[in-house]
PDB file of all heavy atoms in Angstrom:
ATOM      1  N   PHE A  92     -29.094   7.956   9.257  1.00 91.00           N
ATOM      2  CA  PHE A  92     -27.843   7.752   8.528  1.00 91.00           C
ATOM      3  C   PHE A  92     -26.666   8.021   9.455  1.00 91.00           C
ATOM      4  O   PHE A  92     -26.071   9.094   9.465  1.00 91.00           O
ATOM      5  CB  PHE A  92     -27.793   8.675   7.314  1.00 91.00           C
ATOM      6  CG  PHE A  92     -26.658   8.367   6.384  1.00 91.00           C
ATOM      7  CD1 PHE A  92     -26.554   7.123   5.776  1.00 91.00           C
ATOM      8  CD2 PHE A  92     -25.680   9.302   6.117  1.00 91.00           C
ATOM      9  CE1 PHE A  92     -25.509   6.822   4.934  1.00 91.00           C
ATOM     10  CE2 PHE A  92     -24.610   9.013   5.274  1.00 91.00           C
ATOM     11  CZ  PHE A  92     -24.532   7.773   4.685  1.00 91.00           C
ATOM     12  N   ARG A 107     -15.107   3.955  14.962  1.00 94.00           N
ATOM     13  CA  ARG A 107     -16.398   3.304  14.710  1.00 94.00           C
ATOM     14  C   ARG A 107     -16.405   2.004  15.495  1.00 94.00           C
ATOM     15  O   ARG A 107     -15.598   1.109  15.244  1.00 94.00           O
ATOM     16  CB  ARG A 107     -16.550   3.008  13.220  1.00 94.00           C
ATOM     17  CG  ARG A 107     -17.258   4.110  12.476  1.00 94.00           C
ATOM     18  CD  ARG A 107     -17.338   3.793  11.019  1.00 94.00           C
ATOM     19  NE  ARG A 107     -18.283   2.722  10.722  1.00 94.00           N
ATOM     20  CZ  ARG A 107     -18.644   2.386   9.492  1.00 94.00           C
ATOM     21  NH1 ARG A 107     -18.153   3.034   8.461  1.00 94.00           N
ATOM     22  NH2 ARG A 107     -19.511   1.405   9.282  1.00 94.00           N
ATOM     23  N   LYS A 110     -16.619  -1.271  13.494  1.00 92.00           N
ATOM     24  CA  LYS A 110     -15.410  -1.680  12.763  1.00 92.00           C
ATOM     25  C   LYS A 110     -14.379  -2.309  13.719  1.00 92.00           C
ATOM     26  O   LYS A 110     -13.719  -3.281  13.379  1.00 92.00           O
ATOM     27  CB  LYS A 110     -14.783  -0.494  12.025  1.00 92.00           C
ATOM     28  CG  LYS A 110     -15.639   0.038  10.884  1.00 92.00           C
ATOM     29  CD  LYS A 110     -15.682  -0.938   9.709  1.00 92.00           C
ATOM     30  CE  LYS A 110     -16.714  -0.542   8.671  1.00 92.00           C
ATOM     31  NZ  LYS A 110     -17.269  -1.633   7.888  1.00 92.00           N
ATOM     32  N   GLU A 194     -25.417  10.682  -0.717  1.00 97.00           N
ATOM     33  CA  GLU A 194     -25.456   9.700  -1.810  1.00 97.00           C
ATOM     34  C   GLU A 194     -26.173  10.361  -2.978  1.00 97.00           C
ATOM     35  O   GLU A 194     -26.916  11.330  -2.781  1.00 97.00           O
ATOM     36  CB  GLU A 194     -26.220   8.433  -1.385  1.00 97.00           C
ATOM     37  CG  GLU A 194     -27.650   8.716  -0.947  1.00 97.00           C
ATOM     38  CD  GLU A 194     -28.462   7.458  -0.675  1.00 97.00           C
ATOM     39  OE1 GLU A 194     -27.920   6.508  -0.109  1.00 97.00           O
ATOM     40  OE2 GLU A 194     -29.653   7.443  -1.054  1.00 97.00           O
ATOM     41  N   ARG A 226     -19.756  12.563   3.155  1.00 96.00           N
ATOM     42  CA  ARG A 226     -20.082  11.891   4.423  1.00 96.00           C
ATOM     43  C   ARG A 226     -19.036  12.265   5.463  1.00 96.00           C
ATOM     44  O   ARG A 226     -17.838  12.133   5.189  1.00 96.00           O
ATOM     45  CB  ARG A 226     -20.102  10.365   4.269  1.00 96.00           C
ATOM     46  CG  ARG A 226     -21.140   9.896   3.297  1.00 96.00           C
ATOM     47  CD  ARG A 226     -21.200   8.378   3.210  1.00 96.00           C
ATOM     48  NE  ARG A 226     -22.145   7.998   2.162  1.00 96.00           N
ATOM     49  CZ  ARG A 226     -22.446   6.772   1.818  1.00 96.00           C
ATOM     50  NH1 ARG A 226     -21.877   5.758   2.452  1.00 96.00           N
ATOM     51  NH2 ARG A 226     -23.310   6.511   0.865  1.00 96.00           N
ATOM     52  N   GLU A 228     -17.301  10.963   7.659  1.00 90.00           N
ATOM     53  CA  GLU A 228     -16.862   9.644   8.144  1.00 90.00           C
ATOM     54  C   GLU A 228     -16.082   9.775   9.456  1.00 90.00           C
ATOM     55  O   GLU A 228     -15.254  10.676   9.605  1.00 90.00           O
ATOM     56  CB  GLU A 228     -15.964   8.975   7.100  1.00 90.00           C
ATOM     57  CG  GLU A 228     -16.630   8.678   5.767  1.00 90.00           C
ATOM     58  CD  GLU A 228     -17.461   7.406   5.786  1.00 90.00           C
ATOM     59  OE1 GLU A 228     -17.537   6.748   6.837  1.00 90.00           O
ATOM     60  OE2 GLU A 228     -18.036   7.087   4.726  1.00 90.00           O
ATOM     61  N   ILE A 235      -7.362   6.633  -0.556  1.00 92.00           N
ATOM     62  CA  ILE A 235      -8.637   7.166  -1.056  1.00 92.00           C
ATOM     63  C   ILE A 235      -9.780   6.171  -0.892  1.00 92.00           C
ATOM     64  O   ILE A 235     -10.862   6.379  -1.427  1.00 92.00           O
ATOM     65  CB  ILE A 235      -8.513   7.573  -2.542  1.00 92.00           C
ATOM     66  CG1 ILE A 235      -7.917   6.421  -3.355  1.00 92.00           C
ATOM     67  CG2 ILE A 235      -7.666   8.822  -2.672  1.00 92.00           C
ATOM     68  CD1 ILE A 235      -7.934   6.661  -4.848  1.00 92.00           C
ATOM     69  N   PHE A 236      -9.561   5.099  -0.098  1.00 95.00           N
ATOM     70  CA  PHE A 236     -10.619   4.097   0.067  1.00 95.00           C
ATOM     71  C   PHE A 236     -11.853   4.706   0.726  1.00 95.00           C
ATOM     72  O   PHE A 236     -12.979   4.523   0.282  1.00 95.00           O
ATOM     73  CB  PHE A 236     -10.106   2.921   0.914  1.00 95.00           C
ATOM     74  CG  PHE A 236     -11.170   1.887   1.183  1.00 95.00           C
ATOM     75  CD1 PHE A 236     -11.467   0.930   0.237  1.00 95.00           C
ATOM     76  CD2 PHE A 236     -11.887   1.889   2.375  1.00 95.00           C
ATOM     77  CE1 PHE A 236     -12.460  -0.017   0.462  1.00 95.00           C
ATOM     78  CE2 PHE A 236     -12.874   0.953   2.617  1.00 95.00           C
ATOM     79  CZ  PHE A 236     -13.161  -0.004   1.662  1.00 95.00           C
ATOM     80  N   ARG A 237     -11.651   5.417   1.841  1.00 94.00           N
ATOM     81  CA  ARG A 237     -12.773   6.039   2.538  1.00 94.00           C
ATOM     82  C   ARG A 237     -12.428   7.506   2.786  1.00 94.00           C
ATOM     83  O   ARG A 237     -11.507   7.811   3.532  1.00 94.00           O
ATOM     84  CB  ARG A 237     -13.038   5.324   3.866  1.00 94.00           C
ATOM     85  CG  ARG A 237     -14.315   5.782   4.559  1.00 94.00           C
ATOM     86  CD  ARG A 237     -14.500   5.097   5.902  1.00 94.00           C
ATOM     87  NE  ARG A 237     -14.538   3.645   5.811  1.00 94.00           N
ATOM     88  CZ  ARG A 237     -15.567   2.948   5.335  1.00 94.00           C
ATOM     89  NH1 ARG A 237     -16.650   3.559   4.936  1.00 94.00           N
ATOM     90  NH2 ARG A 237     -15.516   1.633   5.282  1.00 94.00           N
ATOM     91  N   THR A 238     -13.154   8.392   2.121  1.00 94.00           N
ATOM     92  CA  THR A 238     -12.900   9.821   2.276  1.00 94.00           C
ATOM     93  C   THR A 238     -14.215  10.518   2.590  1.00 94.00           C
ATOM     94  O   THR A 238     -15.282   9.911   2.486  1.00 94.00           O
ATOM     95  CB  THR A 238     -12.309  10.407   0.969  1.00 94.00           C
ATOM     96  OG1 THR A 238     -13.105   9.958  -0.118  1.00 94.00           O
ATOM     97  CG2 THR A 238     -10.880   9.978   0.762  1.00 94.00           C
ATOM     98  N   ARG A 239     -14.130  11.786   2.967  1.00 93.00           N
ATOM     99  CA  ARG A 239     -15.363  12.498   3.325  1.00 93.00           C
ATOM    100  C   ARG A 239     -16.045  13.093   2.102  1.00 93.00           C
ATOM    101  O   ARG A 239     -17.226  13.370   2.128  1.00 93.00           O
ATOM    102  CB  ARG A 239     -15.041  13.581   4.367  1.00 93.00           C
ATOM    103  CG  ARG A 239     -14.558  12.951   5.674  1.00 93.00           C
ATOM    104  CD  ARG A 239     -14.561  13.920   6.837  1.00 93.00           C
ATOM    105  NE  ARG A 239     -14.303  13.218   8.073  1.00 93.00           N
ATOM    106  CZ  ARG A 239     -13.139  13.234   8.739  1.00 93.00           C
ATOM    107  NH1 ARG A 239     -12.122  13.927   8.277  1.00 93.00           N
ATOM    108  NH2 ARG A 239     -13.012  12.561   9.856  1.00 93.00           N
ATOM    109  N   PHE A 241     -16.413  12.274  -1.977  1.00 97.00           N
ATOM    110  CA  PHE A 241     -16.087  11.258  -2.976  1.00 97.00           C
ATOM    111  C   PHE A 241     -17.129  11.286  -4.083  1.00 97.00           C
ATOM    112  O   PHE A 241     -18.102  12.025  -4.004  1.00 97.00           O
ATOM    113  CB  PHE A 241     -15.990   9.861  -2.338  1.00 97.00           C
ATOM    114  CG  PHE A 241     -17.225   9.429  -1.590  1.00 97.00           C
ATOM    115  CD1 PHE A 241     -18.149   8.559  -2.166  1.00 97.00           C
ATOM    116  CD2 PHE A 241     -17.477   9.890  -0.316  1.00 97.00           C
ATOM    117  CE1 PHE A 241     -19.291   8.161  -1.476  1.00 97.00           C
ATOM    118  CE2 PHE A 241     -18.628   9.506   0.374  1.00 97.00           C
ATOM    119  CZ  PHE A 241     -19.529   8.640  -0.207  1.00 97.00           C
ATOM    120  N   GLU A 242     -16.885  10.496  -5.129  1.00 98.00           N
ATOM    121  CA  GLU A 242     -17.853  10.432  -6.223  1.00 98.00           C
ATOM    122  C   GLU A 242     -18.495   9.056  -6.254  1.00 98.00           C
ATOM    123  O   GLU A 242     -17.810   8.059  -6.027  1.00 98.00           O
ATOM    124  CB  GLU A 242     -17.156  10.689  -7.562  1.00 98.00           C
ATOM    125  CG  GLU A 242     -16.937  12.158  -7.839  1.00 98.00           C
ATOM    126  CD  GLU A 242     -15.977  12.373  -8.991  1.00 98.00           C
ATOM    127  OE1 GLU A 242     -14.771  12.402  -8.724  1.00 98.00           O
ATOM    128  OE2 GLU A 242     -16.419  12.505 -10.122  1.00 98.00           O
ATOM    129  N   GLN A 243     -19.783   9.055  -6.533  1.00 98.00           N
ATOM    130  CA  GLN A 243     -20.489   7.770  -6.646  1.00 98.00           C
ATOM    131  C   GLN A 243     -20.993   7.583  -8.068  1.00 98.00           C
ATOM    132  O   GLN A 243     -21.298   8.560  -8.753  1.00 98.00           O
ATOM    133  CB  GLN A 243     -21.690   7.746  -5.702  1.00 98.00           C
ATOM    134  CG  GLN A 243     -21.328   7.515  -4.253  1.00 98.00           C
ATOM    135  CD  GLN A 243     -22.561   7.320  -3.399  1.00 98.00           C
ATOM    136  OE1 GLN A 243     -23.515   8.078  -3.517  1.00 98.00           O
ATOM    137  NE2 GLN A 243     -22.557   6.312  -2.548  1.00 98.00           N
ATOM    138  N   GLU A 245     -24.107   5.591  -9.450  1.00 98.00           N
ATOM    139  CA  GLU A 245     -25.250   4.830  -8.950  1.00 98.00           C
ATOM    140  C   GLU A 245     -26.303   4.635 -10.038  1.00 98.00           C
ATOM    141  O   GLU A 245     -26.478   5.486 -10.910  1.00 98.00           O
ATOM    142  CB  GLU A 245     -25.889   5.548  -7.756  1.00 98.00           C
ATOM    143  CG  GLU A 245     -24.935   5.641  -6.571  1.00 98.00           C
ATOM    144  CD  GLU A 245     -25.659   5.937  -5.253  1.00 98.00           C
ATOM    145  OE1 GLU A 245     -26.188   7.049  -5.122  1.00 98.00           O
ATOM    146  OE2 GLU A 245     -25.682   5.060  -4.379  1.00 98.00           O
ATOM    147  N   TRP A 310     -12.630  -5.894   1.187  1.00 95.00           N
ATOM    148  CA  TRP A 310     -13.562  -4.837   1.563  1.00 95.00           C
ATOM    149  C   TRP A 310     -14.574  -4.594   0.446  1.00 95.00           C
ATOM    150  O   TRP A 310     -14.311  -4.898  -0.707  1.00 95.00           O
ATOM    151  CB  TRP A 310     -12.812  -3.521   1.835  1.00 95.00           C
ATOM    152  CG  TRP A 310     -12.136  -3.512   3.172  1.00 95.00           C
ATOM    153  CD1 TRP A 310     -10.892  -3.998   3.460  1.00 95.00           C
ATOM    154  CD2 TRP A 310     -12.665  -3.002   4.404  1.00 95.00           C
ATOM    155  NE1 TRP A 310     -10.609  -3.816   4.790  1.00 95.00           N
ATOM    156  CE2 TRP A 310     -11.675  -3.203   5.386  1.00 95.00           C
ATOM    157  CE3 TRP A 310     -13.854  -2.371   4.754  1.00 95.00           C
ATOM    158  CZ2 TRP A 310     -11.856  -2.817   6.707  1.00 95.00           C
ATOM    159  CZ3 TRP A 310     -14.028  -1.981   6.066  1.00 95.00           C
ATOM    160  CH2 TRP A 310     -13.038  -2.208   7.031  1.00 95.00           C
ATOM    161  N   GLU A 311     -15.703  -3.992   0.867  1.00 97.00           N
ATOM    162  CA  GLU A 311     -16.760  -3.701  -0.115  1.00 97.00           C
ATOM    163  C   GLU A 311     -16.270  -2.718  -1.175  1.00 97.00           C
ATOM    164  O   GLU A 311     -15.711  -1.677  -0.849  1.00 97.00           O
ATOM    165  CB  GLU A 311     -17.978  -3.091   0.610  1.00 97.00           C
ATOM    166  CG  GLU A 311     -19.039  -2.588  -0.355  1.00 97.00           C
ATOM    167  CD  GLU A 311     -20.228  -1.913   0.348  1.00 97.00           C
ATOM    168  OE1 GLU A 311     -20.492  -2.213   1.521  1.00 97.00           O
ATOM    169  OE2 GLU A 311     -20.877  -1.086  -0.310  1.00 97.00           O
ATOM    170  N   LEU A 312     -16.536  -3.098  -2.433  1.00 98.00           N
ATOM    171  CA  LEU A 312     -16.252  -2.193  -3.535  1.00 98.00           C
ATOM    172  C   LEU A 312     -17.560  -1.660  -4.118  1.00 98.00           C
ATOM    173  O   LEU A 312     -17.707  -0.476  -4.382  1.00 98.00           O
ATOM    174  CB  LEU A 312     -15.459  -2.956  -4.610  1.00 98.00           C
ATOM    175  CG  LEU A 312     -15.331  -2.300  -5.984  1.00 98.00           C
ATOM    176  CD1 LEU A 312     -14.531  -1.012  -5.883  1.00 98.00           C
ATOM    177  CD2 LEU A 312     -14.644  -3.252  -6.967  1.00 98.00           C
ATOM    178  N   TRP A 313     -18.535  -2.580  -4.281  1.00 98.00           N
ATOM    179  CA  TRP A 313     -19.747  -2.242  -5.023  1.00 98.00           C
ATOM    180  C   TRP A 313     -20.933  -2.886  -4.295  1.00 98.00           C
ATOM    181  O   TRP A 313     -20.898  -4.092  -4.032  1.00 98.00           O
ATOM    182  CB  TRP A 313     -19.622  -2.841  -6.426  1.00 98.00           C
ATOM    183  CG  TRP A 313     -20.445  -2.257  -7.510  1.00 98.00           C
ATOM    184  CD1 TRP A 313     -21.695  -1.734  -7.421  1.00 98.00           C
ATOM    185  CD2 TRP A 313     -20.076  -2.163  -8.897  1.00 98.00           C
ATOM    186  NE1 TRP A 313     -22.128  -1.315  -8.655  1.00 98.00           N
ATOM    187  CE2 TRP A 313     -21.144  -1.564  -9.581  1.00 98.00           C
ATOM    188  CE3 TRP A 313     -18.941  -2.530  -9.627  1.00 98.00           C
ATOM    189  CZ2 TRP A 313     -21.115  -1.328 -10.957  1.00 98.00           C
ATOM    190  CZ3 TRP A 313     -18.921  -2.292 -10.983  1.00 98.00           C
ATOM    191  CH2 TRP A 313     -19.997  -1.699 -11.643  1.00 98.00           C
ATOM    192  N   GLY A 314     -21.914  -2.117  -3.941  1.00 98.00           N
ATOM    193  CA  GLY A 314     -23.109  -2.672  -3.286  1.00 98.00           C
ATOM    194  C   GLY A 314     -24.232  -2.799  -4.302  1.00 98.00           C
ATOM    195  O   GLY A 314     -24.487  -1.866  -5.068  1.00 98.00           O
ATOM    196  N   SER A 353     -24.474   0.354  -6.671  1.00 98.00           N
ATOM    197  CA  SER A 353     -23.841   1.616  -6.282  1.00 98.00           C
ATOM    198  C   SER A 353     -22.351   1.404  -5.998  1.00 98.00           C
ATOM    199  O   SER A 353     -21.979   0.588  -5.152  1.00 98.00           O
ATOM    200  CB  SER A 353     -24.550   2.132  -5.025  1.00 98.00           C
ATOM    201  OG  SER A 353     -23.811   3.163  -4.445  1.00 98.00           O
ATOM    202  N   VAL A 354     -21.516   2.158  -6.705  1.00 98.00           N
ATOM    203  CA  VAL A 354     -20.067   1.994  -6.526  1.00 98.00           C
ATOM    204  C   VAL A 354     -19.421   3.365  -6.401  1.00 98.00           C
ATOM    205  O   VAL A 354     -19.862   4.337  -7.010  1.00 98.00           O
ATOM    206  CB  VAL A 354     -19.460   1.176  -7.702  1.00 98.00           C
ATOM    207  CG1 VAL A 354     -19.626   1.878  -9.031  1.00 98.00           C
ATOM    208  CG2 VAL A 354     -17.989   0.860  -7.462  1.00 98.00           C
ATOM    209  N   GLY A 355     -18.383   3.437  -5.581  1.00 98.00           N
ATOM    210  CA  GLY A 355     -17.632   4.686  -5.438  1.00 98.00           C
ATOM    211  C   GLY A 355     -16.595   4.780  -6.545  1.00 98.00           C
ATOM    212  O   GLY A 355     -15.802   3.850  -6.732  1.00 98.00           O
ATOM    213  N   ASN A 357     -14.010   6.756  -6.728  1.00 97.00           N
ATOM    214  CA  ASN A 357     -12.656   6.854  -6.174  1.00 97.00           C
ATOM    215  C   ASN A 357     -12.188   5.501  -5.634  1.00 97.00           C
ATOM    216  O   ASN A 357     -11.023   5.134  -5.738  1.00 97.00           O
ATOM    217  CB  ASN A 357     -12.602   7.895  -5.055  1.00 97.00           C
ATOM    218  CG  ASN A 357     -13.375   9.134  -5.431  1.00 97.00           C
ATOM    219  OD1 ASN A 357     -14.601   9.093  -5.489  1.00 97.00           O
ATOM    220  ND2 ASN A 357     -12.690  10.204  -5.719  1.00 97.00           N
ATOM    221  N   ARG A 358     -13.146   4.760  -5.053  1.00 98.00           N
ATOM    222  CA  ARG A 358     -12.784   3.431  -4.537  1.00 98.00           C
ATOM    223  C   ARG A 358     -12.450   2.499  -5.698  1.00 98.00           C
ATOM    224  O   ARG A 358     -11.537   1.673  -5.612  1.00 98.00           O
ATOM    225  CB  ARG A 358     -13.930   2.870  -3.685  1.00 98.00           C
ATOM    226  CG  ARG A 358     -13.480   1.765  -2.786  1.00 98.00           C
ATOM    227  CD  ARG A 358     -14.557   1.339  -1.828  1.00 98.00           C
ATOM    228  NE  ARG A 358     -14.740   2.259  -0.709  1.00 98.00           N
ATOM    229  CZ  ARG A 358     -15.568   2.021   0.313  1.00 98.00           C
ATOM    230  NH1 ARG A 358     -16.260   0.891   0.358  1.00 98.00           N
ATOM    231  NH2 ARG A 358     -15.696   2.896   1.291  1.00 98.00           N
TER     232      ARG A 358
HETATM  233  P1  ATP B  29     -18.987   1.292   3.828  1.00 68.11           P
HETATM  234  O1  ATP B  29     -19.570   0.075   4.506  1.00 68.11           O
HETATM  235  O2  ATP B  29     -17.649   1.072   3.162  1.00 68.11           O
HETATM  236  O3  ATP B  29     -19.043   2.550   4.648  1.00 68.11           O
HETATM  237  P2  ATP B  29     -21.520   1.751   2.675  1.00 68.11           P
HETATM  238  O4  ATP B  29     -22.156   0.402   2.734  1.00 68.11           O
HETATM  239  O5  ATP B  29     -21.897   2.810   3.637  1.00 68.11           O
HETATM  240  O6  ATP B  29     -19.938   1.597   2.593  1.00 68.11           O
HETATM  241  P3  ATP B  29     -22.982   2.656   0.436  1.00 68.11           P
HETATM  242  O7  ATP B  29     -23.751   3.654   1.171  1.00 68.11           O
HETATM  243  O8  ATP B  29     -23.669   1.397  -0.004  1.00 68.11           O
HETATM  244  O9  ATP B  29     -21.663   2.302   1.209  1.00 68.11           O
HETATM  245  O10 ATP B  29     -22.297   3.378  -0.807  1.00 68.11           O
HETATM  246  C1  ATP B  29     -22.106   2.733  -2.061  1.00 68.11           C
HETATM  247  C2  ATP B  29     -20.662   2.742  -2.482  1.00 68.11           C
HETATM  248  O11 ATP B  29     -20.106   4.053  -2.366  1.00 68.11           O
HETATM  249  C3  ATP B  29     -19.753   1.858  -1.643  1.00 68.11           C
HETATM  250  O12 ATP B  29     -19.800   0.521  -2.086  1.00 68.11           O
HETATM  251  C4  ATP B  29     -18.394   2.487  -1.899  1.00 68.11           C
HETATM  252  O13 ATP B  29     -17.849   2.032  -3.132  1.00 68.11           O
HETATM  253  C5  ATP B  29     -18.727   3.962  -2.032  1.00 68.11           C
HETATM  254  N1  ATP B  29     -18.472   4.681  -0.773  1.00 68.11           N
HETATM  255  C6  ATP B  29     -19.276   4.784   0.313  1.00 68.11           C
HETATM  256  N2  ATP B  29     -18.734   5.548   1.255  1.00 68.11           N
HETATM  257  C7  ATP B  29     -17.546   5.985   0.761  1.00 68.11           C
HETATM  258  C8  ATP B  29     -16.508   6.842   1.258  1.00 68.11           C
HETATM  259  N3  ATP B  29     -16.605   7.425   2.435  1.00 68.11           N
HETATM  260  N4  ATP B  29     -15.429   7.060   0.491  1.00 68.11           N
HETATM  261  C9  ATP B  29     -15.326   6.495  -0.750  1.00 68.11           C
HETATM  262  N5  ATP B  29     -16.275   5.690  -1.280  1.00 68.11           N
HETATM  263  C10 ATP B  29     -17.374   5.435  -0.546  1.00 68.11           C
END
Side-chain angles (χ1 to χ4, degrees):
F92 190 60
R107 267 178 72 171
K110 293 290 170 207
E194 58 173 40
R226 298 183 185 180
E228 297 279 1
I235 51 172
F236 177 82
R237 188 183 302 286
T238 48
R239 295 195 171 104
F241 56 100
E242 279 167 273
Q243 283 188 314
E245 296 198 292
W310 283 86
E311 172 183 335
L312 166 65
W313 202 326
S353 167
V354 63
N357 317 70
R358 199 173 283 185

